[in-house]
Amino acid sequence: MRSLGHAVTVARAFTRMGYLLEFAYPLAFVFTQMQALVPVFIYFFVAKLVNSSNSNVGGDYFTFVIIGVLSIRVLAVVQDLSSELDSAIQQGRLETLLVEPLPWRALPFALIPWSLIVRLVTVALLVFITVPMGAHYNWSGMPEALLITLLGTVSTLVIGVLATSVKVLSKRNDPILAVYGLVVQVLSGAFFPLSVLPAPLRLISRMLPQTYVIDANRHLLLLHPAGLSGATPMQAIVVLVAFAVVGYAVSLWLLGRTLDYAREIGVLGGY
Amino acid sequence: MSTVTPLVDVRQLVKVYRPSPLWMRFLLRSAIDRPVEALRGVSFQVGAGDICAVVGPNGAGKSTLFRVLTGLTTPTEGSATVLGLDVTHQSQAVRRIVGFVPADDRSLYLRHTASENLIFHGRLQGMALPDARSKAQEMLELVGLGHAAGRAGFALSSGMRARLQLARALLHGPRVLILDEPTSAIDPVGAHQLLSLIERLTHEMKLAVLLSSHRLEEIEALRDHVLLLDRGELVYQGDIESLRHTWDAPRLRIRFAEPAAAVAASAKLRAVAGIETVDQIAGEVTVATTMRAGAVLGVLNGQLAKIESVEETRISLRELLIQVAGDERRPSQGSGES
C-alpha cells in the first residue's frame, strides 16, 4: 500500500513537471495542439466523397472516422512514453532518475499521466469542434466511451512497457513503435470498417487493443450503430481486461529481466 | 581510514564488462569486443565523517565503482554494502540512503527553477508537496542558493548548478554522498567554495563521502583519504601524508653557476648508491634521494664553490600518483592503512 502511495506521488511529480515544462514553451504547446485539427479537416472533406449511407459506417462516415481518429489519438499516448524516455536518455536525466529510490518498473506509468491529460483535453475540444462541422454524437454514450478509452489506454500501455524493455537495452525503440503505430493506423479500423480488409489482416486487427476501443466507441457514440460490425462495448471490456492482465504479467516480467540484464552489462542509464 | 562503523564497505569487488552476445547485437551494439575488467578486487571502507577522494586516470574504474554503489550496475564478484544493505539485492533501499551528484549538469531540468528541480526530486523520494517545498528551500539555503530559488536552471552559473546538484543529492538526508567530478566545470574559486561546503557538510552531517576529481590540488586540499585506482586496480588507499611518506623521495635541486659544473656534478652523483635519480638540465641538477642534503653536498666536495643555490622540494601530487600507479613493485591493494 505504501509503495502504491509512493508510485502515485511519483506520477504526480512527473505530471507537475510535464505541466510546468509544457507552459514554459506556450507557443510550441499551442501549435502542437493545432496540429490535431489537421486530420479533422482532412476527413471533413474526404467524408463528402464517401457514401455514408453504407450501414457499416453507421450511416455517417464523418462521425465514424472522427471517432476512430480521436480514439487512436488518446491511445497514442504510448508514443509519448517513448518520447519521454528518449528525452531523459538524450538529455542525461535518466541516470539521475534511476538513482532515486523509485521502483524502476513503475517509471513507464509515471511518465505518461501529463501526456494523457493533454490528449484527453485535446480530444474533448475536437469533439466540440466537429459538431458544427456535421458530426452527430450520441452524447449519452460519452461516459462509457471515456471509461473504455481509459481502459484501452491501460491495455495499450502494455506495448509501452514492452517498448521500454527494448529501449533499456537498445536506447532507441522508435522504429519498433513507429512500425506499431503504422500497423495501428492501417489495421485498427480507425479510417474504414474492418470488413474491407482481407481476412488475414483482420486477424491481426483483432490482436490490437485499439481495434476494440474504436469498435466500442462507435457502438456507444454513433446515432445509428445497428449495422456496425466489430466488438460491442461489453466484448471490448472483456478483451481489454484480458489483454491487460496477460500483457502486464508478460511485459512487467520482461521489463524486470531486461533491467537486471542492463544492470549486469552496465548499460542502465547510459546513452 | 577511521572506520569504526563503516557506512560503505566494499570487498574484493570485481566488475567485468562483456561484449553483448552475438545473437542480440541487432538490439544492442557493444562498445567493446572483448571482456574488460573495470574493477579488479577492490576493497575499501568509508566511515561517517570521512571524505574519500577517488583518483585515477580515465578508464581507471572510478565511474564503474560509483555505478556499483548507486545500484546502476552489478558487481561480477565480491560485495558492496551501504549501511549493511547489499547494493545488488537491496538496490532501492540503498538508493534511499545514498545521494549522488553526477558529473553532468544536464541532469537538471534547466528550464525549471532551482526550487522546482528540488521539489520534483523530493516528490520522487515520496515527500508530500508541502514537505518537498520546505525541504527544497532548506537545502537551497544550506548550499547558499536561497536567493536563487526562483531562477531557472539555465540562468544559473556552473558553480551554482553544481551547488544545486549538491542540494538535490542532500534533499532526502542521505548517509552516503557520491560526487562524480563535482568541480569539473567550475572555476577554481567556485571549486574551492564547493569543496569547503562539502567538507563542512560532511563533518556536520556525519556523511560518508566518495568524491572523484581530476584536480589534484583539490584532493590535496581535502587532506583526507585517497583511493588511487589504475586500470581497475586499487593501487593505494590511505591519506596523502602516508602516501608521501611511503613513496616520496625528497628532491634536492642544486643550481650551478655554469652548465659544465652541473654536468660534472651529475656524473658524480649518478655513481652514488642511495641516490635514486639524477636529472640535469642546463645548470640545474635535481636529485631524488633519501640521503640527507649534507651527505649529497659532501659528494660534491670539490664543486661546492660553483653552487649558486640548493633547494629541497617535494614531488607534486600528480607526479607522486603517476609514480605509484606506474610502479610495478607496488603492493596490491595499497600500502596505507585501511
Side-chain angles (χ1 to χ4, degrees), chain B residues 26-83:
Chain B
F26 76 98
L27 184 68
L28 173 68
R29 291 295 296 271
S30 275
I32 51 175
D33 55 9
R34 59 187 167 76
V36 172
E37 267 190 294
L39 293 172
R40 298 191 282 172
V42 171
S43 301
F44 66 91
Q45 296 176 329
V46 187
D50 277 344
I51 297 181
C52 180
V54 183
V55 293
N58 291 332
K62 304 186 294 292
S63 294
T64 297
L65 177 62
F66 289 172
R67 290 172 67 80
V68 169
L69 291 174
T70 51
L72 291 176
T73 194
T74 50
T76 309
E77 286 174 31
S79 68
T81 59
V82 178
L83 246 78

Side-chain angles (χ1 to χ4, degrees), chain A residues 127-205:
Chain A
V127 165
F128 288 109
I129 287 169
T130 52
V131 170
M133 294 170 79
H136 303 284
Y137 301 110
N138 171 20
W139 294 101
S140 64
M142 280 293 174
E144 291 100 319
L146 179 63
L147 285 175
I148 285 179
T149 306
L150 290 175
L151 178 59
T153 306
V154 172
S155 301
T156 312
L157 271 177
V158 165
I159 310 298
V161 176
L162 288 171
T164 304
S165 304
V166 176
K167 194 182 280 283
V168 163
L169 292 176
S170 72
K171 304 301 165 194
R172 289 198 177 188
N173 60 358
D174 304 312
I176 293 171
L177 279 177
V179 170
Y180 180 76
L182 288 174
V183 170
V184 167
Q185 295 274 332
V186 177
L187 301 182
S188 65
F191 307 104
F192 42 77
L194 290 181
S195 55
V196 304
L197 288 173
L201 290 182
R202 279 208 299 271
L203 203 62
I204 299 173
S205 295

Side-chain angles (χ1 to χ4, degrees), chain B:
Chain B
M1 294 184 192
S2 58
T3 49
V4 179
T5 336
L7 298 190
V8 178
D9 190 357
V10 174
R11 290 169 193 257
Q12 292 300 314
L13 201 66
V14 174
K15 177 65 191 179
V16 180
Y17 292 117
R18 300 184 193 284
S20 54
L22 214 54
W23 63 267
M24 69 178 309
R25 289 200 184 171
F26 76 98
L27 184 68
L28 173 68
R29 291 295 296 271
S30 275
I32 51 175
D33 55 9
R34 59 187 167 76
V36 172
E37 267 190 294
L39 293 172
R40 298 191 282 172
V42 171
S43 301
F44 66 91
Q45 296 176 329
V46 187
D50 277 344
I51 297 181
C52 180
V54 183
V55 293
N58 291 332
K62 304 186 294 292
S63 294
T64 297
L65 177 62
F66 289 172
R67 290 172 67 80
V68 169
L69 291 174
T70 51
L72 291 176
T73 194
T74 50
T76 309
E77 286 174 31
S79 68
T81 59
V82 178
L83 246 78
L85 297 166
D86 184 273
V87 295
T88 305
H89 301 108
Q90 294 168 291
S91 163
Q92 198 175 332
V94 167
R95 284 181 273 131
R96 279 200 190 92
I97 52 172
V98 171
F100 179 58
V101 177
D104 195 346
D105 69 5
R106 292 186 313 150
S107 66
L108 294 166
Y109 285 83
L110 296 179
R111 188 78 191 183
H112 292 47
T113 64
S115 180
E116 283 297 347
N117 268 281
L118 296 193
I119 291 169
F120 172 63
H121 282 273
R123 300 282 279 152
L124 297 189
Q125 297 281 347
M127 292 178 201
L129 189 56
D131 295 343
R133 279 197 178 115
S134 64
K135 197 72 185 170
Q137 193 55 38
E138 184 190 328
M139 286 300 116
L140 287 170
E141 300 286 351
L142 187 71
V143 301
L145 285 180
H147 64 288
R151 280 166 67 178
F154 69 80
L156 300 175
S157 68
S158 298
M160 292 166 92
R161 283 183 205 165
R163 283 166 179 264
L164 181 55
Q165 293 203 92
L166 178 62
R168 183 180 63 190
L170 293 170
L171 196 66
H172 57 297
R175 301 294 310 280
V176 174
L177 189 59
I178 296 175
L179 304 105
D180 193 1
E181 298 179 24
T183 58
S184 58
I186 316 177
D187 64 82
V189 175
H192 172 72
Q193 289 172 343
L194 182 68
L195 285 177
S196 301
L197 176 65
I198 291 167
E199 260 189 304
R200 178 168 68 80
L201 296 177
T202 303
H203 295 121
E204 282 178 9
M205 300 165 86
K206 292 282 171 227
L207 297 167
V209 174
L210 281 150
L211 177 152
S212 73
S213 176
H214 285 299
R215 293 185 176 189
L216 297 175
E217 70 278 10
E218 291 173 359
I219 304 293
E220 193 144 36
L222 289 172
R223 282 177 309 211
D224 224 321
H225 301 113
V226 173
L227 293 182
L228 175 57
L229 289 168
D230 184 42
R231 284 161 288 173
E233 195 180 343
L234 182 57
V235 296
Y236 176 81
Q237 62 170 313
D239 59 58
I240 290 175
E241 275 315 303
S242 301
L243 180 69
R244 284 197 181 281
H245 187 256
T246 311
W247 291 89
D248 186 5
R251 299 280 203 266
L252 204 60
R253 190 180 296 158
I254 308 165
R255 188 182 295 277
F256 289 87
E258 52 198 52
V263 172
S266 60
K268 265 189 177 176
L269 290 167
R270 283 195 182 101
V272 177
I275 292 183
E276 292 179 14
T277 61
V278 179
D279 296 317
Q280 180 257 321
I281 301 171
E284 192 173 287
V285 175
T286 305
V287 179
T289 180
T290 50
M291 290 167 64
R292 288 172 177 235
V296 174
L297 294 175
V299 175
L300 302 174
N301 198 14
Q303 290 165 297
L304 289 177
K306 294 175 184 168
I307 293 175
E308 277 189 343
S309 65
V310 178
E311 185 188 358
E312 197 172 38
T313 62
R314 300 188 85 188
I315 188 172
S316 74
L317 184 58
R318 182 182 311 277
E319 289 172 293
L320 187 63
L321 295 177
I322 290 169
Q323 186 178 318
V324 177
D327 197 302
E328 299 298 327
R329 296 163 299 159
R330 72 187 174 225
S332 61
Q333 283 300 299
S335 57
E337 82 275 30
S338 60

Side-chain angles (χ1 to χ4, degrees), chain A residues 29-82:
Chain A
F29 177 71
V30 169
F31 276 101
T32 306
Q33 300 318 305
M34 282 174 66
Q35 283 175 6
L37 282 171
V38 174
V40 169
F41 281 105
I42 289 173
Y43 288 101
F44 172 72
F45 294 112
V46 170
K48 293 182 181 300
L49 301 172
V50 175
N51 180 6
S52 284
S53 64
N54 193 334
S55 65
N56 63 6
V57 297
D60 174 3
Y61 178 71
F62 181 56
T63 310
F64 174 92
V65 77
I66 287 299
I67 291 170
V69 166
L70 299 189
S71 297
I72 58 170
R73 180 165 185 85
V74 175
L75 301 179
V77 73
V78 68
Q79 304 277 358
D80 297 339
L81 168 61
S82 174

